[in-house]
Amino acid sequence: MRKSLLAATAAIVGLGVLAAPALAQRDPAYAAARADGRVGEKMDGYLGIVGAATPELQAMVDDINIRRRAVYAERAQAENATLEQYAFTAGCLAIARTSPGEMYQAPDGTWQRRGQGAPQRDPRCP
């Protein structure tokens, strides 16, 4: 499993295949929700809603997660990894790339606001 996670990490880093950053540049609603702490990166590689969901926010998060899943599935197959392994590795990297003030899911499942230091990450993260 560790070998698959490392291969997936290399593919994600090498190709820059995280859907959210690209969408953030194109979707001001996503950028605002991220900056306001209404959405955050989850350990499983998907975007999560922090607090109460509105229909618009839920639709946006669902759309982003559908796109992420499609990318993860394609890359996982190419890297001979499972979807879950690839998504987990992507989640590790997305959490590491959060900026101060953004929300992320800590290993204990709680939502945390990123400070100036490194975020808390799962010990299995590459």
Side-chain angles (χ1 to χ4, degrees):
M1 179 172 155
R2 185 120 175 113
K3 186 176 179 181
S4 294
L5 285 175
L6 292 176
T9 300
I12 291 169
V13 171
L15 298 174
V17 185
L18 283 177
L23 288 173
Q25 294 172 1
R26 289 181 257 154
D27 187 352
Y30 169 74
R34 190 172 176 102
D36 293 345
R38 293 180 286 142
V39 298
E41 295 295 340
K42 293 174 40 183
M43 293 184 309
D44 64 3
Y46 296 96
L47 194 63
I49 296 176
V50 180
T54 64
E56 296 82 13
L57 186 61
Q58 187 67 59
M60 180 186 62
V61 167
D62 290 347
D63 181 59
I64 290 171
N65 286 338
I66 288 167
R67 292 171 191 245
R68 284 187 182 189
R69 188 178 194 290
V71 170
Y72 296 164
E74 181 182 319
R75 296 293 173 205
Q77 184 176 18
E79 296 298 324
N80 200 26
T82 69
L83 174 63
E84 292 77 17
Q85 289 169 329
Y86 198 91
F88 175 80
T89 301
C92 290
L93 295 173
I95 288 170
R97 290 181 180 152
T98 56
S99 297
E102 294 179 341
M103 300 299 286
Y104 69 94
Q105 189 180 44
D108 67 2
T110 61
W111 287 107
Q112 301 292 318
R113 187 171 300 277
R114 169 90 186 254
Q116 293 299 320
Q120 301 171 40
R121 294 191 323 150
D122 190 294
R124 298 171 293 160
C125 285

